[in-house]
Amino acid sequence: MNSKIESVLYIRSANNYKKSLDLQRLAGEKYAKQNSMSLSIIEDAQSFGITPFNERAGLRWLILIKIVIVDSLIRISRDLNQVLSFGSLMEKHNAKLNVLDEADVYRS
């Protein structure tokens, strides 16, 4: 029996800006519906993009997930090294990261 959660939408806002969280939630829900996925949501409100991912409560849960959905890579981190480390961690745990904004080029 596999104890991993199928998919989760990870949303984050450093200033807990409701509109940003709502837009991320809507984009994730739309993606899940289009791809016939059930979806849980992990929200890391008031978590800054430069905060190390291992210090964010929500991100620590993501290794238990099969598919993690974010609207942009900056939801993981604004630090490229942290993004790469997170990607390695996901790969180690056989998880997949889906970035909704396909045009998203890493921005510092």
Side-chain angles (χ1 to χ4, degrees), residues 45-87:
Q46 298 182 339
S47 180
F48 294 93
I50 58 173
T51 303
F53 64 83
N54 61 345
E55 293 179 16
R56 290 191 237 158
L59 278 178
R60 283 183 259 158
W61 286 101
L62 297 184
I63 62 170
L64 302 173
I65 312 299
K66 290 181 182 179
I67 301 170
V68 176
I69 303 165
V70 294
D71 75 325
S72 172
L73 283 176
I74 62 171
R75 298 298 163 214
I76 302 301
S77 181
R78 293 186 185 276
D79 179 311
L80 179 57
N81 289 325
Q82 287 188 43
V83 171
L84 294 173
S85 293
F86 183 76

